Amino acid sequence: MKKRGMFVAGNWKMNKNYAEAVKLAQELSYRSQQWNIESCICPPYLVLKGVAHVFAFDRAKIKLGAQNVFWAEDGAYTGEISASMLKDVGCAYAIIGHSERREIFHEDSTQIAKKVLALLKQGISPIVCCGESLELYERGQGSAHVTKQIREFCSVLSAELETENILLAKDQLVFAYEPIWAIGSGRVASPEYANQLASDIRRQLASCFSEELAQSTRILYGGSVKPANSSLFFEQEHIDGALVGGAALDAEDFSTIVESAQKLG
Ligand code: PGA
């Protein structure tokens, strides 16, 4: 039995038009009747409402998440979406600081922490991503890099929380360790290596916040998680679930991954 509740999140990225999204949501709703661990699906913004309707109608045992957010509450920010808008359509989670956003849109720790704060104010749980490049991995600097990412993020977030006088609940944050070289590549980190990095993240959380918060925070592994390899990660002490990309686009694959987490949860 795991110390923390298992959690599987699916990231559809920029895939699925409206009709395709509704169909996949219906398939997932049906399968989710068998699930008793926490799970969520993060579709593109445009189909959040449609997927929310399907989940509500089918009483799906799966939650809704977004792939990003903007930190301001409202105003002149063309093209952006606020945390209260995500709350309004029923999002319980939002992925923040995915490596694709860090690389393509140059998101840094300060922006990521501001987005996390905006979500926390709305009662939405952020899934904060971190991970190292292939180059750093090959130089043996994965752990140092991820520790630095978490340290920077935590120090900005702590300062923001203090300014706003907000207390962080102990299971509100979720982290996803995603080695960049494993994302969409079919190449996975070894389960032992992923566990070590998850443990490094936990250690950093303990030093930034508290041991209690570190022990109750769920840390997911992401990067080419498939039905054939998911349980190897779920068996690891510090890994509490998965952030699934490609395999989340297939109802059967995603369902198999949730069910393998459930066996160990
Ligand atoms: P992948 O994506 O499962 O397709 O590797 C994971 C992610 O980017 O979150």
Short mmCIF file of all heavy atoms in Angstrom, two decimals, residues 184-248:
data_model
loop_
_atom_site.label_atom_id
_atom_site.label_comp_id
_atom_site.label_asym_id
_atom_site.label_seq_id
_atom_site.Cartn_x
_atom_site.Cartn_y
_atom_site.Cartn_z
N GLY A 184 7.61 11.87 -25.28
CA GLY A 184 7.23 11.60 -26.66
C GLY A 184 8.29 10.86 -27.45
O GLY A 184 8.19 10.75 -28.68
N SER A 185 9.32 10.36 -26.79
CA SER A 185 10.44 9.76 -27.52
C SER A 185 10.40 8.24 -27.53
O SER A 185 11.13 7.60 -28.28
CB SER A 185 11.76 10.19 -26.85
OG SER A 185 11.82 9.64 -25.55
N GLY A 186 9.57 7.65 -26.67
CA GLY A 186 9.55 6.19 -26.56
C GLY A 186 10.67 5.68 -25.67
O GLY A 186 10.76 4.50 -25.36
N ARG A 187 11.54 6.60 -25.24
CA ARG A 187 12.65 6.22 -24.37
C ARG A 187 12.27 6.60 -22.94
O ARG A 187 11.87 7.75 -22.71
CB ARG A 187 13.88 7.02 -24.83
CG ARG A 187 15.13 6.69 -24.10
CD ARG A 187 16.29 7.49 -24.69
NE ARG A 187 17.43 7.31 -23.82
CZ ARG A 187 18.53 8.03 -23.89
NH1 ARG A 187 18.67 8.97 -24.80
NH2 ARG A 187 19.52 7.80 -23.06
N VAL A 188 12.34 5.67 -22.01
CA VAL A 188 11.95 6.03 -20.64
C VAL A 188 13.17 6.07 -19.72
O VAL A 188 14.18 5.43 -19.99
CB VAL A 188 10.94 5.01 -20.02
CG1 VAL A 188 9.56 5.18 -20.58
CG2 VAL A 188 11.43 3.58 -20.14
N ALA A 189 13.01 6.81 -18.63
CA ALA A 189 14.04 6.78 -17.59
C ALA A 189 13.94 5.42 -16.91
O ALA A 189 12.88 4.80 -16.91
CB ALA A 189 13.76 7.89 -16.58
N SER A 190 15.03 4.96 -16.31
CA SER A 190 14.88 3.71 -15.57
C SER A 190 14.04 4.03 -14.33
O SER A 190 14.12 5.14 -13.79
CB SER A 190 16.25 3.15 -15.17
OG SER A 190 16.74 3.85 -14.05
N PRO A 191 13.21 3.09 -13.89
CA PRO A 191 12.37 3.36 -12.73
C PRO A 191 13.18 3.78 -11.51
O PRO A 191 12.77 4.66 -10.75
CB PRO A 191 11.65 2.02 -12.49
CG PRO A 191 11.65 1.36 -13.84
CD PRO A 191 12.94 1.78 -14.49
N GLU A 192 14.37 3.21 -11.34
CA GLU A 192 15.21 3.55 -10.18
C GLU A 192 15.70 5.00 -10.28
O GLU A 192 15.74 5.72 -9.29
CB GLU A 192 16.43 2.61 -10.08
CG GLU A 192 16.09 1.14 -9.84
CD GLU A 192 15.49 0.43 -11.06
OE1 GLU A 192 15.71 0.89 -12.21
OE2 GLU A 192 14.78 -0.57 -10.86
N TYR A 193 16.08 5.40 -11.49
CA TYR A 193 16.54 6.78 -11.69
C TYR A 193 15.39 7.75 -11.44
O TYR A 193 15.55 8.76 -10.74
CB TYR A 193 17.09 6.93 -13.12
CG TYR A 193 17.52 8.34 -13.45
CD1 TYR A 193 18.74 8.84 -12.98
CD2 TYR A 193 16.71 9.17 -14.23
CE1 TYR A 193 19.13 10.14 -13.28
CE2 TYR A 193 17.10 10.47 -14.53
CZ TYR A 193 18.31 10.95 -14.06
OH TYR A 193 18.69 12.24 -14.34
N ALA A 194 14.21 7.43 -11.99
CA ALA A 194 13.05 8.30 -11.79
C ALA A 194 12.72 8.42 -10.30
O ALA A 194 12.39 9.49 -9.80
CB ALA A 194 11.85 7.76 -12.57
N ASN A 195 12.84 7.29 -9.59
CA ASN A 195 12.57 7.30 -8.15
C ASN A 195 13.57 8.20 -7.41
O ASN A 195 13.20 8.94 -6.51
CB ASN A 195 12.65 5.87 -7.61
CG ASN A 195 12.20 5.78 -6.18
OD1 ASN A 195 11.10 6.24 -5.84
ND2 ASN A 195 13.03 5.23 -5.31
N GLN A 196 14.83 8.12 -7.83
CA GLN A 196 15.86 8.95 -7.19
C GLN A 196 15.56 10.44 -7.39
O GLN A 196 15.64 11.23 -6.46
CB GLN A 196 17.24 8.60 -7.79
CG GLN A 196 18.40 9.38 -7.23
CD GLN A 196 18.47 9.27 -5.70
OE1 GLN A 196 18.47 8.17 -5.17
NE2 GLN A 196 18.49 10.40 -5.00
N LEU A 197 15.16 10.77 -8.62
CA LEU A 197 14.85 12.19 -8.90
C LEU A 197 13.61 12.64 -8.13
O LEU A 197 13.56 13.77 -7.61
CB LEU A 197 14.69 12.41 -10.41
CG LEU A 197 15.95 12.71 -11.23
CD1 LEU A 197 16.30 14.19 -11.13
CD2 LEU A 197 17.16 11.89 -10.81
N ALA A 198 12.61 11.74 -8.02
CA ALA A 198 11.40 12.09 -7.26
C ALA A 198 11.78 12.30 -5.79
O ALA A 198 11.27 13.21 -5.13
CB ALA A 198 10.34 10.99 -7.40
N SER A 199 12.71 11.48 -5.31
CA SER A 199 13.15 11.63 -3.93
C SER A 199 13.91 12.95 -3.73
O SER A 199 13.79 13.61 -2.70
CB SER A 199 13.98 10.39 -3.56
OG SER A 199 14.98 10.70 -2.67
N ASP A 200 14.69 13.35 -4.75
CA ASP A 200 15.39 14.65 -4.69
C ASP A 200 14.37 15.80 -4.61
O ASP A 200 14.58 16.77 -3.88
CB ASP A 200 16.27 14.86 -5.94
CG ASP A 200 17.42 13.86 -6.00
OD1 ASP A 200 17.78 13.29 -4.96
OD2 ASP A 200 17.94 13.65 -7.12
N ILE A 201 13.29 15.67 -5.40
CA ILE A 201 12.25 16.72 -5.38
C ILE A 201 11.64 16.78 -3.98
O ILE A 201 11.47 17.84 -3.39
CB ILE A 201 11.15 16.43 -6.44
CG1 ILE A 201 11.75 16.52 -7.85
CG2 ILE A 201 9.95 17.37 -6.28
CD1 ILE A 201 10.85 16.02 -8.97
N ARG A 202 11.36 15.61 -3.42
CA ARG A 202 10.75 15.55 -2.09
C ARG A 202 11.67 16.19 -1.04
O ARG A 202 11.23 16.92 -0.16
CB ARG A 202 10.43 14.09 -1.73
CG ARG A 202 9.25 13.95 -0.78
CD ARG A 202 8.86 12.51 -0.51
NE ARG A 202 8.31 11.77 -1.63
CZ ARG A 202 7.11 12.00 -2.18
NH1 ARG A 202 6.34 12.94 -1.73
NH2 ARG A 202 6.69 11.27 -3.20
N ARG A 203 12.96 15.89 -1.17
CA ARG A 203 13.91 16.46 -0.21
C ARG A 203 13.92 17.99 -0.30
O ARG A 203 13.95 18.70 0.70
CB ARG A 203 15.31 15.88 -0.46
CG ARG A 203 16.29 16.25 0.60
CD ARG A 203 17.46 15.30 0.81
NE ARG A 203 17.61 14.25 -0.18
CZ ARG A 203 18.36 14.34 -1.29
NH1 ARG A 203 19.03 15.44 -1.55
NH2 ARG A 203 18.47 13.33 -2.12
N GLN A 204 13.87 18.47 -1.53
CA GLN A 204 13.86 19.92 -1.73
C GLN A 204 12.59 20.55 -1.16
O GLN A 204 12.62 21.63 -0.57
CB GLN A 204 14.00 20.20 -3.23
CG GLN A 204 14.43 21.61 -3.58
CD GLN A 204 15.69 22.01 -2.84
OE1 GLN A 204 16.69 21.28 -2.81
NE2 GLN A 204 15.67 23.18 -2.23
N LEU A 205 11.46 19.87 -1.31
CA LEU A 205 10.19 20.38 -0.76
C LEU A 205 10.26 20.45 0.76
O LEU A 205 9.75 21.39 1.37
CB LEU A 205 9.01 19.48 -1.19
CG LEU A 205 8.66 19.49 -2.66
CD1 LEU A 205 7.55 18.47 -2.95
CD2 LEU A 205 8.21 20.89 -3.10
N ALA A 206 10.90 19.44 1.34
CA ALA A 206 11.04 19.42 2.81
C ALA A 206 11.87 20.62 3.25
O ALA A 206 11.53 21.28 4.24
CB ALA A 206 11.68 18.12 3.26
N SER A 207 12.94 20.92 2.49
CA SER A 207 13.78 22.03 2.96
C SER A 207 13.11 23.38 2.68
O SER A 207 13.31 24.33 3.43
CB SER A 207 15.20 21.90 2.42
OG SER A 207 15.38 22.63 1.27
N CYS A 208 12.29 23.48 1.63
CA CYS A 208 11.61 24.77 1.36
C CYS A 208 10.38 24.96 2.22
O CYS A 208 10.08 26.08 2.63
CB CYS A 208 11.15 24.84 -0.09
SG CYS A 208 12.46 24.92 -1.27
N PHE A 209 9.62 23.91 2.43
CA PHE A 209 8.35 24.04 3.17
C PHE A 209 8.45 23.28 4.49
O PHE A 209 8.87 23.83 5.48
CB PHE A 209 7.16 23.58 2.31
CG PHE A 209 6.97 24.41 1.07
CD1 PHE A 209 7.32 23.92 -0.18
CD2 PHE A 209 6.46 25.70 1.16
CE1 PHE A 209 7.15 24.71 -1.32
CE2 PHE A 209 6.30 26.50 0.03
CZ PHE A 209 6.65 26.00 -1.21
N SER A 210 8.07 22.00 4.49
CA SER A 210 8.19 21.22 5.73
C SER A 210 8.24 19.74 5.35
O SER A 210 7.83 19.34 4.26
CB SER A 210 6.96 21.46 6.62
OG SER A 210 5.81 20.90 6.00
N GLU A 211 8.72 18.95 6.29
CA GLU A 211 8.78 17.50 6.07
C GLU A 211 7.36 16.95 5.86
O GLU A 211 7.13 16.10 5.00
CB GLU A 211 9.44 16.84 7.30
CG GLU A 211 9.73 15.36 7.15
CD GLU A 211 10.68 15.02 6.00
OE1 GLU A 211 11.62 15.79 5.74
OE2 GLU A 211 10.46 13.97 5.35
N GLU A 212 6.42 17.48 6.59
CA GLU A 212 5.04 17.01 6.48
C GLU A 212 4.49 17.27 5.08
O GLU A 212 3.87 16.39 4.46
CB GLU A 212 4.18 17.74 7.53
CG GLU A 212 2.85 17.06 7.75
CD GLU A 212 1.84 17.94 8.46
OE1 GLU A 212 2.16 19.11 8.77
OE2 GLU A 212 0.72 17.45 8.69
N LEU A 213 4.72 18.48 4.58
CA LEU A 213 4.25 18.80 3.23
C LEU A 213 4.95 17.91 2.20
O LEU A 213 4.32 17.36 1.30
CB LEU A 213 4.48 20.28 2.91
CG LEU A 213 3.95 20.70 1.54
CD1 LEU A 213 3.16 22.00 1.63
CD2 LEU A 213 5.06 20.85 0.50
N ALA A 214 6.26 17.71 2.37
CA ALA A 214 7.02 16.89 1.42
C ALA A 214 6.48 15.45 1.40
O ALA A 214 6.35 14.85 0.33
CB ALA A 214 8.49 16.90 1.79
N GLN A 215 6.16 14.93 2.57
CA GLN A 215 5.70 13.54 2.64
C GLN A 215 4.29 13.36 2.08
O GLN A 215 3.93 12.28 1.65
CB GLN A 215 5.74 13.02 4.10
CG GLN A 215 7.14 12.80 4.62
CD GLN A 215 7.98 11.87 3.75
OE1 GLN A 215 7.48 10.93 3.14
NE2 GLN A 215 9.28 12.14 3.67
N SER A 216 3.49 14.43 2.09
CA SER A 216 2.12 14.26 1.61
C SER A 216 1.94 14.71 0.16
O SER A 216 0.87 14.56 -0.42
CB SER A 216 1.14 14.99 2.52
OG SER A 216 1.50 16.34 2.57
N THR A 217 3.00 15.27 -0.45
CA THR A 217 2.90 15.75 -1.83
C THR A 217 3.08 14.61 -2.82
O THR A 217 4.03 13.84 -2.72
CB THR A 217 3.97 16.84 -2.08
OG1 THR A 217 3.73 17.92 -1.20
CG2 THR A 217 3.93 17.33 -3.52
N ARG A 218 2.16 14.54 -3.78
CA ARG A 218 2.29 13.49 -4.80
C ARG A 218 3.26 13.91 -5.90
O ARG A 218 3.20 15.02 -6.38
CB ARG A 218 0.92 13.14 -5.37
CG ARG A 218 0.10 12.35 -4.35
CD ARG A 218 -1.32 12.22 -4.75
NE ARG A 218 -1.94 13.53 -4.88
CZ ARG A 218 -3.18 13.71 -5.31
NH1 ARG A 218 -3.91 12.68 -5.67
NH2 ARG A 218 -3.69 14.92 -5.39
N ILE A 219 4.13 12.99 -6.25
CA ILE A 219 5.10 13.24 -7.32
C ILE A 219 4.87 12.18 -8.40
O ILE A 219 4.93 10.97 -8.13
CB ILE A 219 6.56 13.21 -6.80
CG1 ILE A 219 6.73 14.27 -5.69
CG2 ILE A 219 7.54 13.43 -7.95
CD1 ILE A 219 8.08 14.29 -5.01
N LEU A 220 4.58 12.66 -9.61
CA LEU A 220 4.29 11.76 -10.73
C LEU A 220 5.54 11.60 -11.59
O LEU A 220 6.41 12.47 -11.60
CB LEU A 220 3.17 12.34 -11.60
CG LEU A 220 1.95 12.95 -10.87
CD1 LEU A 220 0.96 13.52 -11.89
CD2 LEU A 220 1.28 11.91 -9.99
N TYR A 221 5.59 10.51 -12.33
CA TYR A 221 6.63 10.39 -13.37
C TYR A 221 5.94 10.61 -14.71
O TYR A 221 4.80 10.15 -14.93
CB TYR A 221 7.28 9.00 -13.36
CG TYR A 221 8.12 8.79 -14.61
CD1 TYR A 221 9.35 9.42 -14.75
CD2 TYR A 221 7.62 8.04 -15.69
CE1 TYR A 221 10.08 9.31 -15.93
CE2 TYR A 221 8.36 7.93 -16.88
CZ TYR A 221 9.58 8.57 -16.99
OH TYR A 221 10.30 8.47 -18.15
N GLY A 222 6.61 11.29 -15.63
CA GLY A 222 6.08 11.47 -16.99
C GLY A 222 7.19 11.31 -17.99
O GLY A 222 8.36 11.64 -17.72
N GLY A 223 6.84 10.81 -19.17
CA GLY A 223 7.82 10.61 -20.24
C GLY A 223 7.67 9.21 -20.79
O GLY A 223 8.19 8.26 -20.22
N SER A 224 6.87 9.10 -21.89
CA SER A 224 6.66 7.81 -22.57
C SER A 224 6.09 6.71 -21.66
O SER A 224 6.46 5.55 -21.78
CB SER A 224 7.95 7.33 -23.25
OG SER A 224 8.33 8.25 -24.26
N VAL A 225 5.20 7.12 -20.74
CA VAL A 225 4.51 6.11 -19.91
C VAL A 225 3.48 5.40 -20.80
O VAL A 225 2.69 6.05 -21.50
CB VAL A 225 3.82 6.75 -18.69
CG1 VAL A 225 2.98 5.72 -17.94
CG2 VAL A 225 4.85 7.37 -17.77
N LYS A 226 3.54 4.08 -20.78
CA LYS A 226 2.64 3.25 -21.61
C LYS A 226 2.10 2.13 -20.71
O LYS A 226 2.67 1.85 -19.65
CB LYS A 226 3.43 2.60 -22.78
CG LYS A 226 4.22 3.57 -23.65
CD LYS A 226 3.32 4.38 -24.57
CE LYS A 226 4.16 5.41 -25.34
NZ LYS A 226 3.52 6.64 -25.65
N PRO A 227 1.06 1.42 -21.20
CA PRO A 227 0.54 0.29 -20.39
C PRO A 227 1.63 -0.73 -20.05
O PRO A 227 1.64 -1.30 -18.97
CB PRO A 227 -0.52 -0.33 -21.30
CG PRO A 227 -0.97 0.79 -22.18
CD PRO A 227 0.24 1.65 -22.40
N ALA A 228 2.59 -0.92 -20.97
CA ALA A 228 3.61 -1.95 -20.74
C ALA A 228 4.66 -1.57 -19.69
O ALA A 228 5.32 -2.45 -19.14
CB ALA A 228 4.32 -2.24 -22.07
N ASN A 229 4.84 -0.27 -19.42
CA ASN A 229 5.90 0.08 -18.46
C ASN A 229 5.39 0.78 -17.20
O ASN A 229 6.15 0.99 -16.26
CB ASN A 229 6.98 0.94 -19.15
CG ASN A 229 6.43 2.26 -19.69
OD1 ASN A 229 5.46 2.80 -19.18
ND2 ASN A 229 7.06 2.79 -20.73
N SER A 230 4.10 1.15 -17.16
CA SER A 230 3.64 2.01 -16.07
C SER A 230 3.84 1.40 -14.68
O SER A 230 4.27 2.10 -13.75
CB SER A 230 2.18 2.41 -16.27
OG SER A 230 1.36 1.26 -16.35
N SER A 231 3.57 0.10 -14.54
CA SER A 231 3.63 -0.46 -13.19
C SER A 231 5.06 -0.45 -12.63
O SER A 231 5.26 -0.36 -11.42
CB SER A 231 3.03 -1.86 -13.13
OG SER A 231 3.72 -2.68 -14.00
N LEU A 232 6.07 -0.47 -13.51
CA LEU A 232 7.46 -0.41 -13.04
C LEU A 232 7.72 0.90 -12.30
O LEU A 232 8.48 0.94 -11.33
CB LEU A 232 8.44 -0.52 -14.22
CG LEU A 232 8.34 -1.80 -15.05
CD1 LEU A 232 9.23 -1.71 -16.28
CD2 LEU A 232 8.73 -3.00 -14.20
N PHE A 233 7.07 1.96 -12.77
CA PHE A 233 7.22 3.27 -12.09
C PHE A 233 6.37 3.31 -10.83
O PHE A 233 6.81 3.81 -9.79
CB PHE A 233 6.85 4.41 -13.05
CG PHE A 233 7.80 4.52 -14.20
CD1 PHE A 233 7.48 4.01 -15.45
CD2 PHE A 233 9.06 5.07 -14.01
CE1 PHE A 233 8.39 4.07 -16.49
CE2 PHE A 233 9.98 5.15 -15.05
CZ PHE A 233 9.64 4.64 -16.30
N PHE A 234 5.16 2.78 -10.94
CA PHE A 234 4.24 2.86 -9.79
C PHE A 234 4.75 2.07 -8.58
O PHE A 234 4.37 2.35 -7.46
CB PHE A 234 2.84 2.38 -10.19
CG PHE A 234 2.21 3.20 -11.29
CD1 PHE A 234 1.27 2.65 -12.16
CD2 PHE A 234 2.56 4.54 -11.47
CE1 PHE A 234 0.70 3.41 -13.16
CE2 PHE A 234 2.00 5.30 -12.49
CZ PHE A 234 1.07 4.74 -13.34
N GLU A 235 5.61 1.09 -8.83
CA GLU A 235 6.16 0.30 -7.71
C GLU A 235 7.19 1.08 -6.90
O GLU A 235 7.55 0.68 -5.80
CB GLU A 235 6.87 -0.95 -8.27
CG GLU A 235 5.89 -2.06 -8.65
CD GLU A 235 6.52 -3.08 -9.60
OE1 GLU A 235 7.74 -2.99 -9.88
OE2 GLU A 235 5.76 -3.95 -10.06
N GLN A 236 7.69 2.17 -7.46
CA GLN A 236 8.76 2.92 -6.79
C GLN A 236 8.22 3.72 -5.60
O GLN A 236 7.15 4.33 -5.69
CB GLN A 236 9.44 3.88 -7.78
CG GLN A 236 10.03 3.20 -8.99
CD GLN A 236 11.15 2.23 -8.64
OE1 GLN A 236 12.00 2.55 -7.81
NE2 GLN A 236 11.14 1.06 -9.26
N GLU A 237 9.01 3.77 -4.55
CA GLU A 237 8.57 4.41 -3.31
C GLU A 237 8.12 5.87 -3.47
O GLU A 237 7.10 6.28 -2.92
CB GLU A 237 9.73 4.36 -2.29
CG GLU A 237 9.37 5.01 -0.97
CD GLU A 237 10.56 5.13 -0.03
OE1 GLU A 237 11.64 4.56 -0.33
OE2 GLU A 237 10.40 5.81 1.00
N HIS A 238 8.90 6.65 -4.25
CA HIS A 238 8.59 8.09 -4.32
C HIS A 238 7.71 8.49 -5.48
O HIS A 238 7.41 9.66 -5.67
CB HIS A 238 9.90 8.90 -4.35
CG HIS A 238 10.63 8.83 -3.04
ND1 HIS A 238 10.22 9.54 -1.94
CD2 HIS A 238 11.69 8.09 -2.65
CE1 HIS A 238 11.01 9.26 -0.92
NE2 HIS A 238 11.91 8.39 -1.33
N ILE A 239 7.28 7.51 -6.28
CA ILE A 239 6.45 7.84 -7.46
C ILE A 239 4.99 7.50 -7.16
O ILE A 239 4.66 6.36 -6.85
CB ILE A 239 6.98 7.12 -8.72
CG1 ILE A 239 8.40 7.62 -9.01
CG2 ILE A 239 6.05 7.36 -9.91
CD1 ILE A 239 9.08 6.97 -10.16
N ASP A 240 4.15 8.54 -7.25
CA ASP A 240 2.75 8.38 -6.82
C ASP A 240 1.77 8.42 -7.98
O ASP A 240 0.59 8.73 -7.79
CB ASP A 240 2.41 9.51 -5.82
CG ASP A 240 3.45 9.60 -4.71
OD1 ASP A 240 3.68 8.58 -4.04
OD2 ASP A 240 4.05 10.68 -4.54
N GLY A 241 2.26 8.13 -9.18
CA GLY A 241 1.37 8.14 -10.33
C GLY A 241 2.12 8.59 -11.57
O GLY A 241 3.35 8.58 -11.60
N ALA A 242 1.35 8.99 -12.60
CA ALA A 242 1.99 9.35 -13.87
C ALA A 242 1.30 10.53 -14.53
O ALA A 242 0.10 10.75 -14.34
CB ALA A 242 1.95 8.15 -14.81
N LEU A 243 2.10 11.28 -15.29
CA LEU A 243 1.56 12.28 -16.21
C LEU A 243 1.77 11.67 -17.60
O LEU A 243 2.90 11.44 -18.03
CB LEU A 243 2.29 13.62 -16.06
CG LEU A 243 1.84 14.74 -17.01
CD1 LEU A 243 0.34 14.99 -16.94
CD2 LEU A 243 2.58 16.04 -16.68
N VAL A 244 0.67 11.38 -18.27
CA VAL A 244 0.69 10.59 -19.50
C VAL A 244 0.35 11.48 -20.70
O VAL A 244 -0.67 12.17 -20.68
CB VAL A 244 -0.34 9.45 -19.40
CG1 VAL A 244 -0.28 8.55 -20.62
CG2 VAL A 244 -0.15 8.64 -18.12
N GLY A 245 1.18 11.47 -21.73
CA GLY A 245 0.91 12.26 -22.93
C GLY A 245 0.27 11.39 -24.01
O GLY A 245 -0.93 11.16 -24.02
N GLY A 246 1.10 10.86 -24.89
CA GLY A 246 0.62 10.09 -26.05
C GLY A 246 -0.40 9.01 -25.69
O GLY A 246 -1.44 8.88 -26.36
N ALA A 247 -0.13 8.25 -24.64
CA ALA A 247 -1.03 7.13 -24.30
C ALA A 247 -2.36 7.62 -23.71
O ALA A 247 -3.31 6.82 -23.59
CB ALA A 247 -0.33 6.18 -23.32
N ALA A 248 -2.46 8.93 -23.40
CA ALA A 248 -3.73 9.45 -22.90
C ALA A 248 -4.71 9.73 -24.04
O ALA A 248 -5.88 10.03 -23.82
CB ALA A 248 -3.50 10.73 -22.10
#
